[in-house]
Amino acid sequence: NAGVTQTPKFQVLKTGQSMTLQCAQDMNHNSMYWYRQDPGMGLRLIYYSASEGTTDKGEVPNGYNVSRLNKREFSLRLESAAPSQTSVYFCASSEPTWSGGGTGELFFGEGSRLTVL
Amino acid sequence: AQTVTQSQPEMSVQEAETVTLSCTYDTSENNYYLFWYKQPPSRQMILVIRQEAYKQQNATENRFSVNFQKAAKSFSLKISDSQLGDTAMYFCAFTLNDMRFGAGTRLTVKP
């Protein structure tokens, strides 16, 4: 019962370095999401992919890029990390309500704590 | 874009008592879904309850129930018989195409 798996769980970067957060789900969900969580601000949507082959910006997309590699995998890339990107990142997947039978419920990974020095 | 507002950053309740967490949202759409998620210190996100906007009946899951007021765009969560294990961050969320979350309410259940 893997569900949503994201790696790495912890990462420390220096300003200007790049990295990719990986996410995979085994529930055959159409939609996948990347959120960041900062104290007092809840979860803010960075990017999402409603279905394989599509990606859309969320609330805070600047400084990030995503790739929906296939139906299972959705990666998040920081090209030039900045201290403002220090956060906990969550990947999630869902079967959307428009897919006929989907509940829209998000299933989350365990989170990745990223620190940019 | 839809927005979700939780106006209570922190709340506390005595064990076995009842507490209500508030949530309002803004949308011009008619059919959508609302959720409450719980995040304990483990950081895991756990679904508490779900409400379809086209259903007038309020959703209930054991000790958890909602008061859904569609015209007022309000979606509050009531926790009855509070338990120590209910201590967590609670997030209200709205979904249409993507899912947007409120800033959260930190609930502490006191023994």
Side-chain angles (χ1 to χ4, degrees), chain A residues 97-114:
Chain A
T97 55
W98 49 257
S99 71
T103 67
E105 176 188 354
L106 291 190
F107 293 81
F108 287 85
E110 294 181 342
S112 299
R113 182 176 293 278
L114 174 65

Side-chain angles (χ1 to χ4, degrees), chain A residues 21-71:
Chain A
L21 293 170
Q22 307 284 357
C23 177
Q25 52 95 5
D26 62 2
M27 295 171 282
N28 202 36
H29 286 163
N30 275 296
S31 300
M32 297 186 73
Y33 307 78
W34 277 106
Y35 290 90
R36 60 177 289 173
Q37 184 176 20
D38 303 292
M41 302 191 76
L43 279 79
R44 291 183 292 167
L45 182 64
I46 304 171
Y47 272 93
Y48 71 103
S49 172
S51 60
E52 186 178 359
T54 70
T55 59
D56 286 284
K57 294 179 179 179
E59 302 165 89
V60 288
N62 291 344
Y64 305 95
N65 286 300
V66 291
S67 295
R68 184 75 184 266
L69 305 171
N70 47 55
K71 192 172 186 180

Side-chain angles (χ1 to χ4, degrees), chain B residues 4 7 12 20 27 30 42 46 49-50 53-55 57 61 71 73 75 78 80-81 90 93 99:
Chain B
V4 180
S7 58
S12 64
T20 299
T27 184
N30 194 44
S42 66
I46 302 165
I49 202 163
R50 173 179 179 268
Y54 61 86
K55 288 187 177 179
Q57 186 174 4
E61 288 288 342
K73 297 180 183 177
F75 183 60
K78 185 172 81 171
S80 304
D81 186 24
Y90 286 82
M99 187 174 287

Side-chain angles (χ1 to χ4, degrees), chain B residues 70-88:
Chain B
K70 191 172 183 179
K73 297 180 183 177
S74 170
F75 183 60
S76 61
L77 175 70
K78 185 172 81 171
I79 306 174
S80 304
D81 186 24
S82 296
Q83 300 176 359
L84 297 178
D86 295 334
T87 292

